[in-house]
Amino acid sequence: MASLSFISTFFFVLVCSFFIAKGQLDPCFYDNICPKALPTIKAIVEDAIQQEARMGASLLRLHFHDCFVNGCDGSILLDDTPTLTGEKNAAPNKNSARGFDVIDKIKSAVNSVCYGNVVSCADIVAVAARDSVVALGGPSYRVELGRRDSLTASQAAANNSIPAPTFNFSALLSNFQSHGLSLQDLVLLSGAHTLGFARCTNFRARLYNESYTQDASLANSLKAICPPQSGNGDDNLAGLDGTPTKFDTVYFDWLLQRKGLLHSDQQLYKGDGSGSDGLVNYYSQNSGAFWEDFGGAMLRMGAMKPLTGNNGEIRMDCRKVNSY
């Protein structure tokens, strides 16, 4: 056992040395700079989820919505100023993106335990997403670190780059491919909808116009919380699957049963063998494979256009650039 432990440790050191030598994102980035950084993030995420289980999905979604807009650079965290229009009020985020207070709490705590401003907000979002998955029963994966924070944000890019719940399959696939992601990544990252809730305004059109592709019993129960009239009950919530605070494969099971809450969800499984039907079937029946593959998809998303080296900055306050 001791020899196996030594081999494992030696291999990890070699992996970290490789990343450093290549100047890439590095899973060991904070090991020497601030070894207390990651444990501190984990503790605060776990506490936030203990207080409100839904927060795990919110933190995971923050990472997704950050990365899909000009890369994983913490731009989603910036507040509006007289000279900067942030992404928080973009259509995909307004009245739905949340968890900013948790990120603020983490940033303050990390700055304290690190005796300075050394951990980027973008890295905090990435690590908090992973820790949320783990806290809700999902797989762990080694987050690559060393991102720096953006100096700006783009509401227009947020409106155009984040896939909408109304997208059909071809639009979803095209969107993911434009970010360098694959069909398998589309299915795996959509599998993050095993956690969380959606607002009535985002599933109303499917609920009342797509009876031919949805389970009648579920639809009837949803109509009780989501009236047909726009502006009535828009913010009422429904779980994206039957276990919205547990990381599992029920999301894929629900797609097979025509229970996808969002139009974009059900587009992943049409039941005719086309598109991503095969992958949805596979992950529904193989939870171990989903556990193993999900982390890889998160790493590929997390490596989208990171700012490293002298690009960007490490913000003192995640809500504003240092020069503000």
Side-chain angles (χ1 to χ4, degrees):
M1 290 294 291
S3 62
L4 285 177
S5 176
F6 172 78
I7 291 170
S8 176
T9 301
F10 180 69
F11 177 74
F12 180 60
V13 170
L14 285 179
V15 169
C16 292
S17 299
F18 171 80
F19 281 105
I20 293 169
K22 291 289 185 180
Q24 301 171 352
L25 294 179
D26 171 15
C28 318
F29 189 83
Y30 296 109
D31 284 7
N32 293 320
I33 299 173
C34 183
K36 293 183 179 180
L38 269 59
T40 299
I41 296 172
K42 181 175 183 288
I44 294 174
V45 167
E46 289 176 346
D47 180 66
I49 291 174
Q50 183 68 29
Q51 295 181 44
E52 182 196 12
R54 180 188 169 205
M55 184 55 67
S58 298
L59 293 171
L60 179 57
R61 187 168 180 258
L62 270 186
H63 186 38
F64 184 97
H65 282 213
D66 183 34
C67 290
F68 266 62
V69 182
N70 298 322
C72 312
D73 59 6
S75 60
I76 193 172
L77 305 175
L78 290 171
D79 288 340
D80 289 354
T81 73
T83 58
L84 183 147
T85 301
E87 297 164 16
K88 292 180 179 179
N89 287 313
N93 297 327
K94 189 173 184 178
N95 298 323
S96 65
R98 57 198 300 273
F100 300 109
D101 290 344
V102 177
I103 300 299
D104 291 342
K105 185 175 181 180
I106 293 171
K107 179 62 175 173
S108 177
V110 167
N111 281 1
S112 178
V113 299
C114 296
Y115 303 104
N117 183 37
V118 297
V119 181
S120 71
C121 300
D123 275 349
I124 288 173
V125 171
V127 175
R130 187 273 311 278
D131 290 345
S132 294
V133 168
V134 174
L136 294 172
S140 186
Y141 53 93
R142 195 172 296 280
V143 180
E144 296 173 355
L145 301 164
R147 301 169 188 81
R148 289 167 65 85
D149 299 321
S150 69
L151 300 172
T152 187
S154 175
Q155 187 175 110
N159 283 325
N160 294 325
S161 300
I162 298 171
T166 56
F167 274 13
N168 59 27
F169 176 79
S170 61
L172 287 169
L173 182 58
S174 176
N175 179 283
F176 272 66
Q177 288 176 335
S178 74
H179 293 290
L181 299 171
S182 68
L183 171 62
Q184 185 178 27
D185 292 325
L186 166 60
V187 174
L188 288 165
L189 294 172
S190 296
H193 280 182
T194 183
L195 299 174
F197 299 79
R199 297 162 62 223
C200 165
T201 188
N202 287 325
F203 62 84
R204 176 183 283 122
R206 167 163 166 73
L207 180 60
Y208 289 98
N209 299 313
E210 299 179 19
S211 58
Y212 56 94
T213 65
Q214 61 184 311
D215 177 81
S217 177
L218 177 63
N220 286 335
S221 66
L222 290 173
K223 288 176 181 177
I225 63 170
C226 186
Q229 302 84 7
S230 178
N232 187 6
D234 285 1
D235 293 331
N236 292 347
L237 298 174
L240 289 162
D241 73 2
T243 55
T245 58
K246 180 181 178 183
F247 194 99
D248 51 29
T249 56
V250 171
Y251 169 77
F252 295 119
D253 299 340
W254 269 37
L255 297 187
L256 298 181
Q257 299 165 33
R258 300 187 306 157
K259 292 182 177 180
L261 183 64
L262 304 177
H263 174 80
S264 56
D265 286 330
Q266 197 59 55
Q267 285 289 296
L268 299 180
Y269 186 80
K270 298 181 179 180
D272 58 5
S274 65
S276 55
D277 277 16
L279 285 167
V280 172
N281 259 312
Y282 176 68
Y283 288 122
S284 172
Q285 298 170 21
N286 296 276
S287 60
F290 178 51
W291 254 240
E292 182 175 347
D293 295 347
F294 179 78
M298 289 294 289
L299 292 180
R300 287 187 288 277
M301 183 183 76
M304 286 163 47
K305 300 181 182 177
L307 298 174
T308 58
N310 294 319
N311 296 312
E313 66 180 11
I314 299 176
R315 293 186 210 132
M316 267 304 283
D317 180 337
C318 291
R319 293 175 179 264
K320 60 185 181 181
V321 298
N322 292 339
S323 61
Y324 181 69

